[in-house]
Amino acid sequence: MDARDKIIEDLRKLVARQSEQIAKLTVRVAELELALAKATKDSSTSSKPPSSDITKPKTSRKPGRGGKPKRGGQPGHQQHLRENLPPERVDETCDYEITDEDIQRLGLKSTDEFETYQFIELPESPVFVTELRLRVYLTDDGERYVPDVGDILNKPIFGPRLLAIIGWMKSAAHCSYSTIETYMEDVLQVPVSRGYLAKICTGLIADSLDQSYQDLKDSIPQQEQLGSDETSFKNNGKKHWIWCIASAIFTVFHIAPTRSRKVLEELVGEEFAGYLNFDYFSANCSFAWNYRSEAQQTARSITTTELMP
C-alpha cells in the first residue's frame, strides 16, 4: 500500500467515525428538544391544571399597553358615591353630639349641620299579617252564625305590595313557580302552593296589567319604526303563534291562533305610516302591499327584500 492509498483509508475511517458521532448527537438533540418542550408547558399552553405550573405563565401584552389597573376608581375618573335614601324612608334617627364640656375645652362652635351615615336592615319579620277574627254565634237550632264583613273574604290573601313582588319575580326575574314557592317559604316564612301562585299570576296580576297592556297596543300605530316577528307554540296540543311587535321604547307580545296578516292589521293597523321591518313571509308581504301608498310600497319592498335569504 503506497502513501496515497493509506491517506484514502485514513479519510474513510474518519468519515465513518464522524458519521457515527453525528448520528448519536442527532438522537441526543431530539431527546433534549422533547425534554425542553415538556418543561416549558404550563396551563396557558396546554391542558395542564394551573396548580401544576412551576412558575406563573407569562402573559403577552400588546405594545404600548400598561400593566393591569388596580382595583377601584382610576386616576381622573369621577367619583361615584351611593346616595342616602330620602328622609321619608328613614325609620329611626340617632343623633350624636359632643358634650358642652368638650366643646368649651376644644374651642368648638355648634352648627345645624350633620354628617349622615345610613345602615339598612330587614325587619325581624318581612311580612305584616292581619288576622280577621269573626266571632261565632249559634242560633236556637244550633247553626253557626258569623258577622257579615262583605266581600273582604273574597280578595286574595296577599296584599298589593306582596303581589307586586310575586309578579316581578315571575316576569322581570324569570323565576319559576317552584323558585317563588321556595322564596316565600324560606325567606318570608309564608307557605304557599305553586297552584295558588299560578292562579294569582295568570289571573289577578295579569288582569291588573290589562289596561297598561292595552295602552301599549293602542300606541303601536303611532310609532315611526317597528319590528315584527312571530313563532309558533302549542297549548294543550293546539297550535298558536306568539307575535312580537317591537319599537324603540317598548315591546308588545301578542298570542294569536293564526299567522295571517289579520294579526298585523289588528296590531299595526291600516293607518300606520312608519317603517315596519320583517322577514319575507307571505303574510308580511301581503300586509305591506295592501296597506301602503305607492311610495311607501317602494320603501317597504326595499326593507323586505334585504331580509331575503
Side-chain angles (χ1 to χ4, degrees):
M1 177 182 299
D2 55 14
R4 180 181 178 182
D5 292 336
K6 188 177 184 307
I7 294 174
I8 293 175
E9 182 63 24
D10 293 341
L11 291 175
R12 286 177 177 174
K13 291 180 180 180
L14 178 61
V15 170
R17 289 196 303 269
Q18 290 178 341
S19 297
E20 183 179 356
Q21 186 177 11
I22 290 174
K24 291 180 180 179
L25 292 175
T26 302
V27 173
R28 182 56 179 164
V29 169
E31 292 176 350
L32 292 174
E33 288 179 344
L34 180 60
L36 180 62
K38 291 182 178 179
T40 55
K41 281 186 177 180
D42 54 39
S43 58
S44 65
T45 59
S46 67
S47 59
K48 295 174 62 178
S51 58
S52 66
D53 294 337
I54 300 177
T55 59
K56 187 176 181 181
K58 294 182 178 180
T59 56
S60 59
R61 298 185 181 275
K62 294 183 178 180
R65 295 189 62 182
K68 184 178 180 181
K70 297 181 179 180
R71 292 183 179 180
Q74 304 303 309
H77 185 269
Q78 183 179 0
Q79 187 179 20
H80 294 282
L81 299 176
R82 186 189 66 83
E83 296 184 0
N84 285 338
L85 297 178
E88 59 269 18
R89 296 290 307 279
V90 177
D91 299 300
E92 181 183 23
T93 301
C94 299
D95 293 343
Y96 291 85
E97 301 184 28
I98 300 177
T99 62
D100 295 337
E101 292 80 3
D102 288 338
I103 291 177
Q104 294 179 359
R105 179 175 60 84
L106 298 173
L108 303 178
K109 182 183 296 185
S110 178
T111 69
D112 294 332
E113 298 180 3
F114 286 88
E115 289 188 4
T116 59
Y117 302 88
Q118 293 184 349
F119 298 89
I120 304 173
E121 174 62 297
L122 290 172
E124 182 176 353
S125 177
V127 295
F128 186 84
V129 181
T130 300
E131 182 178 77
L132 303 184
R133 292 161 48 92
L134 308 183
R135 184 177 295 277
V136 178
Y137 300 87
L138 296 176
T139 65
D140 294 338
D141 299 332
E143 295 183 0
R144 295 169 63 89
Y145 191 90
V146 296
D148 183 10
V149 293
D151 296 333
I152 191 172
L153 300 180
N154 296 327
K155 67 178 185 179
I157 63 174
F158 300 141
R161 284 185 290 273
L162 186 51
L163 287 174
I165 290 179
I166 295 173
W168 181 88
M169 294 180 67
K170 185 59 184 172
S171 57
H174 306 288
C175 295
S176 64
Y177 289 122
S178 297
T179 301
I180 301 176
E181 177 190 29
T182 303
Y183 169 80
M184 297 285 290
E185 294 184 359
D186 293 351
V187 180
L188 304 184
Q189 299 181 3
V190 177
V192 62
S193 67
R194 287 177 296 176
Y196 186 74
L197 291 172
K199 179 181 178 181
I200 60 177
C201 284
T202 59
L204 180 64
I205 296 177
D207 293 342
S208 67
L209 300 174
D210 184 67
Q211 185 58 52
S212 298
Y213 176 77
Q214 189 60 47
D215 293 340
L216 289 177
K217 285 182 62 177
D218 294 341
S219 62
I220 289 177
Q222 285 74 47
Q223 305 305 307
E224 296 181 356
Q225 187 169 354
L226 296 171
S228 171
D229 201 1
E230 76 289 330
T231 185
S232 62
F233 77 102
K234 287 188 177 181
N235 184 18
N236 294 329
K238 189 174 181 181
K239 199 170 187 179
H240 290 74
W241 278 265
I242 299 179
W243 287 77
C244 174
I245 307 296
S247 73
I249 57 176
F250 66 85
T251 300
V252 171
F253 293 92
H254 175 76
I255 299 177
T258 178
R259 197 187 180 192
S260 68
R261 81 180 192 197
K262 293 182 179 179
V263 180
L264 288 175
E265 294 173 2
E266 174 188 351
L267 297 177
V268 180
E270 302 177 8
E271 303 300 325
F272 176 68
Y275 289 92
L276 181 59
N277 302 279
F278 43 53
D279 55 30
Y280 214 67
F281 178 58
S282 58
N284 296 331
C285 297
S286 176
F287 174 80
W289 289 103
N290 281 275
Y291 295 100
R292 302 294 99 185
S293 65
E294 182 177 351
Q296 290 171 328
Q297 287 180 12
T298 302
R300 178 60 51 80
S301 177
I302 296 175
T303 304
T304 55
T305 53
E306 288 178 345
L307 298 178
M308 290 181 64

